[in-house]
Amino acid sequence: AQMKQLALEEDSDNEFVALFRAMSEGFYENNGKQSTLQEASEKTTVEEFMVPTTHDGNFNVPVKVYTPKKLDGGDKKAAYIYAHGGGVISATADLNQAWLQYLAVAYEVVVFNVDYRLAPETKCPNNVKDFYESIKYVSKNAASLGIDPSKIAIGGDSGGGYICLGAMVLLAQNGESSLVKLAMPGIPMVDDYCFSDPAAMTVEERGSTDFLDVFQTRKFWKLIAADFDVQKSDPLLFPGKASSELLEKFPPTIIIECEFDVFITEATRLATRLRRAGRLLEFVVIPGAKHGSYMMTDLACSKRWENATTTAIQEYLHK
């Protein structure tokens, strides 16, 4: 109730961000304590490097690297470059470490966990560019990183799904989509659908039964935008508004959604447009799942999600 009230208040940005960051930190910390994730952490090695950037001052983007021990020492490994969730205003790479170590083992890939800068301190498109530059760095330095440059996947969940989609826009605009074999944004923030009339929305989108709702999402976008009115037609802010011609240049894409997600409508619309553009490999909807519930590995929906995404990685990245 407090989050919704703050989301509705125009002058509550600082208080909203502080509360949401505290809630997000609590969620990821608790999630990381799951025994299945702890077991995976013992099966991976952890390293870190910095990606130098100049698009918003001189800033080195931290990237954590998780390598399954059974892949250690080899070269030509598949890579999965990831942007964490949190509405682009919260969470960190470190808070997602246990989850991504779990995915590294399940997918048999090296995971690159990008600690992109958060809004509102850093505005669109610079958060997206942190991730985009990290993709280019991994591709350029694939040999020294032990990565097969022809087997690079990118992804992210929720706000990280948006960061992933924004990077896909940049790759398409710059003729660089061939750097990525597979893009896999999950439960992504896509466009400004949340600013439409809530009366026509699902119960989940209105937020009557979940922790996330349309009013909080509106707040996210206004905190992310440097100038909302100027950028509202820019696909770097709203990737769902990319032109058909630009979508045709996207990397091959799988969108992962949840049946009762707050972003299901906008993700479905984007999937339909990508299918028409010939860039959609799969649109996967996990039955019975809500936003982020597949991160709780003891739930049935999590097992469905893991089966679907592991199969996707095997079929579209490893082969």
Tab-separated table of all heavy atoms in Angstrom, residues 4 10 14 41 75 132 166 173 235 245 266 283 312:
chain	number	residue	atom	x	y	z
A	4	LYS	N	2.384	1.819	-3.488
A	4	LYS	CA	1.401	2.348	-4.437
A	4	LYS	C	1.134	3.816	-4.177
A	4	LYS	O	1.043	4.618	-5.117
A	4	LYS	CB	0.101	1.543	-4.348
A	4	LYS	CG	-0.937	1.978	-5.369
A	4	LYS	CD	-2.121	1.027	-5.398
A	4	LYS	CE	-3.123	1.435	-6.469
A	4	LYS	NZ	-4.251	0.483	-6.560
A	10	GLU	N	3.632	12.846	-7.008
A	10	GLU	CA	4.593	13.419	-7.948
A	10	GLU	C	5.934	13.741	-7.286
A	10	GLU	O	6.978	13.656	-7.916
A	10	GLU	CB	4.009	14.694	-8.572
A	10	GLU	CG	2.863	14.447	-9.549
A	10	GLU	CD	3.326	13.734	-10.815
A	10	GLU	OE1	4.489	13.948	-11.215
A	10	GLU	OE2	2.533	12.971	-11.390
A	14	ASN	N	12.452	10.348	-4.291
A	14	ASN	CA	13.531	9.862	-3.417
A	14	ASN	C	13.027	8.807	-2.444
A	14	ASN	O	13.689	7.777	-2.232
A	14	ASN	CB	14.151	11.028	-2.654
A	14	ASN	CG	14.935	11.967	-3.556
A	14	ASN	OD1	15.343	11.592	-4.652
A	14	ASN	ND2	15.143	13.185	-3.105
A	41	SER	N	26.613	-22.540	-6.222
A	41	SER	CA	27.727	-21.624	-5.987
A	41	SER	C	29.031	-22.382	-5.736
A	41	SER	O	30.124	-21.864	-6.012
A	41	SER	CB	27.425	-20.703	-4.804
A	41	SER	OG	27.416	-21.421	-3.583
A	75	ASP	N	38.478	-23.635	-23.732
A	75	ASP	CA	38.190	-22.417	-24.473
A	75	ASP	C	36.956	-22.667	-25.342
A	75	ASP	O	36.347	-23.729	-25.285
A	75	ASP	CB	39.390	-21.984	-25.321
A	75	ASP	CG	39.844	-23.064	-26.295
A	75	ASP	OD1	39.171	-24.117	-26.374
A	75	ASP	OD2	40.865	-22.847	-26.966
A	132	TYR	N	25.246	-2.526	-23.358
A	132	TYR	CA	25.656	-2.631	-24.763
A	132	TYR	C	27.183	-2.676	-24.894
A	132	TYR	O	27.736	-3.517	-25.615
A	132	TYR	CB	25.073	-1.440	-25.520
A	132	TYR	CG	25.670	-1.140	-26.872
A	132	TYR	CD1	25.365	-1.916	-27.987
A	132	TYR	CD2	26.510	-0.044	-27.043
A	132	TYR	CE1	25.899	-1.614	-29.234
A	132	TYR	CE2	27.035	0.270	-28.281
A	132	TYR	CZ	26.738	-0.515	-29.377
A	132	TYR	OH	27.261	-0.215	-30.608
A	166	GLY	N	16.829	-2.809	-24.881
A	166	GLY	CA	17.439	-1.548	-25.296
A	166	GLY	C	18.767	-1.775	-25.993
A	166	GLY	O	19.084	-1.121	-26.999
A	173	GLN	N	20.556	-0.768	-34.567
A	173	GLN	CA	20.824	0.551	-35.153
A	173	GLN	C	22.237	0.642	-35.717
A	173	GLN	O	22.474	1.333	-36.709
A	173	GLN	CB	20.615	1.641	-34.094
A	173	GLN	CG	19.156	1.881	-33.731
A	173	GLN	CD	18.993	2.887	-32.605
A	173	GLN	OE1	19.902	3.087	-31.790
A	173	GLN	NE2	17.835	3.517	-32.535
A	235	PRO	N	12.879	4.313	-29.236
A	235	PRO	CA	12.935	2.890	-28.868
A	235	PRO	C	14.013	2.564	-27.841
A	235	PRO	O	13.992	1.483	-27.263
A	235	PRO	CB	13.203	2.187	-30.202
A	235	PRO	CG	13.837	3.216	-31.061
A	235	PRO	CD	13.208	4.513	-30.660
A	245	GLU	N	11.197	-1.912	-39.545
A	245	GLU	CA	12.485	-2.041	-40.226
A	245	GLU	C	13.608	-2.313	-39.223
A	245	GLU	O	14.520	-3.096	-39.506
A	245	GLU	CB	12.791	-0.756	-41.006
A	245	GLU	CG	11.878	-0.503	-42.193
A	245	GLU	CD	10.489	-0.007	-41.785
A	245	GLU	OE1	10.327	0.459	-40.627
A	245	GLU	OE2	9.564	-0.097	-42.616
A	266	GLU	N	2.309	-6.157	-22.987
A	266	GLU	CA	3.300	-5.480	-23.830
A	266	GLU	C	4.310	-6.465	-24.411
A	266	GLU	O	4.762	-6.308	-25.551
A	266	GLU	CB	3.996	-4.355	-23.054
A	266	GLU	CG	4.659	-4.755	-21.768
A	266	GLU	CD	4.782	-3.584	-20.798
A	266	GLU	OE1	3.801	-3.256	-20.109
A	266	GLU	OE2	5.883	-2.999	-20.730
A	283	PHE	N	8.072	-17.632	-28.311
A	283	PHE	CA	7.453	-16.833	-27.256
A	283	PHE	C	6.936	-17.824	-26.224
A	283	PHE	O	5.987	-18.556	-26.481
A	283	PHE	CB	6.318	-15.965	-27.810
A	283	PHE	CG	5.618	-15.133	-26.753
A	283	PHE	CD1	6.345	-14.429	-25.803
A	283	PHE	CD2	4.238	-15.052	-26.724
A	283	PHE	CE1	5.717	-13.659	-24.841
A	283	PHE	CE2	3.591	-14.277	-25.767
A	283	PHE	CZ	4.332	-13.579	-24.828
A	312	ALA	N	16.010	-24.115	-24.579
A	312	ALA	CA	16.281	-23.035	-25.518
A	312	ALA	C	17.780	-22.796	-25.674
A	312	ALA	O	18.283	-22.636	-26.798
A	312	ALA	CB	15.592	-21.748	-25.052
